[in-house]
Amino acid sequence: YEICNNLEGSHTTQKEDPMEESDSSEANSNHVLFVRTWVLVSVVENGVNITSEMYNEPCYADGEYITGCEPATQLFLSVSTYGTYIFAYTGSSEGTFTETNSWRWSDDTQTAFYVGNDSDSMLITVESLSDTDAVFSEEGDQGTIYYTFSKL
């Protein structure tokens, strides 16, 4: 593992091409507005605020709650123009917890997108999207879930 401790020398890698929508000339397209880092404001299901449930995510290991775990205090969503995103939970006693996956627009209207791979994807609807705020929704088992974010 010694080679991992030394970054001297020249390193190169091939990067994937950005999504086709990244070439959009419209500065206010949903694609341009969506690709950035967001911070979670709230999660509401059937009128009930369930944000704290989202912050508990780092406190689970193999489906079991970790005794004494302090939940995350913030959740960041960083969306890339390469069709990937990362959730970063911070402030938990378990340290920073991350989840990554892929995303793609459902069609050219850019009003909904899929997260996950083709065989296991979920449709997310863009309820509102601006330069500073975003609201997304998904259909859950108990009804519609609304996720509100602010620009970091």
Side-chain angles (χ1 to χ4, degrees), residues 2-118:
E2 188 172 316
I3 194 167
C4 295
N5 294 325
N6 184 344
L7 294 178
E8 292 178 8
S10 175
H11 304 279
T12 60
T13 186
Q14 185 153 354
K15 197 173 196 176
E16 294 289 325
D17 289 330
M19 298 170 72
E20 216 174 279
E21 294 86 353
S22 298
D23 296 330
S24 172
S25 59
E26 293 182 43
N28 287 328
S29 71
N30 275 0
H31 185 79
V32 171
L33 294 171
F34 184 46
V35 174
R36 65 186 68 226
T37 299
W38 301 93
V39 62
L40 182 68
V41 174
S42 68
V43 181
V44 176
E45 182 176 28
N46 295 325
V48 177
N49 188 324
I50 60 168
T51 309
S52 61
E53 291 179 29
M54 287 288 292
Y55 290 141
N56 277 327
E57 188 64 28
C59 292
Y60 287 92
D62 299 322
E64 297 291 322
Y65 191 80
I66 300 168
T67 304
C69 178
E70 293 291 325
T73 56
Q74 286 190 304
L75 170 60
F76 298 96
L77 167 62
S78 187
V79 182
S80 87
T81 192
Y82 294 93
T84 58
Y85 70 90
I86 184 169
F87 277 133
Y89 298 81
T90 63
S92 170
S93 60
E94 297 301 303
T96 299
F97 178 79
T98 61
E99 295 178 0
T100 60
N101 214 326
S102 60
W103 74 276
R104 68 188 182 289
W105 292 110
S106 62
D107 59 34
D108 291 339
T109 65
Q110 297 181 359
T111 56
F113 56 94
Y114 290 102
V115 294
N117 59 40
D118 290 334

Side-chain angles (χ1 to χ4, degrees), residues 92-147:
S92 170
S93 60
E94 297 301 303
T96 299
F97 178 79
T98 61
E99 295 178 0
T100 60
N101 214 326
S102 60
W103 74 276
R104 68 188 182 289
W105 292 110
S106 62
D107 59 34
D108 291 339
T109 65
Q110 297 181 359
T111 56
F113 56 94
Y114 290 102
V115 294
N117 59 40
D118 290 334
S119 64
D120 185 31
S121 62
M122 179 181 358
L123 183 66
I124 306 292
T125 301
V126 177
E127 298 292 335
S128 66
L129 184 58
S130 73
D131 190 42
T132 58
D133 300 290
V135 178
F136 309 114
S137 68
E138 71 169 299
E139 292 304 317
D141 294 336
Q142 306 299 316
T144 305
I145 304 170
Y146 293 93
Y147 302 87

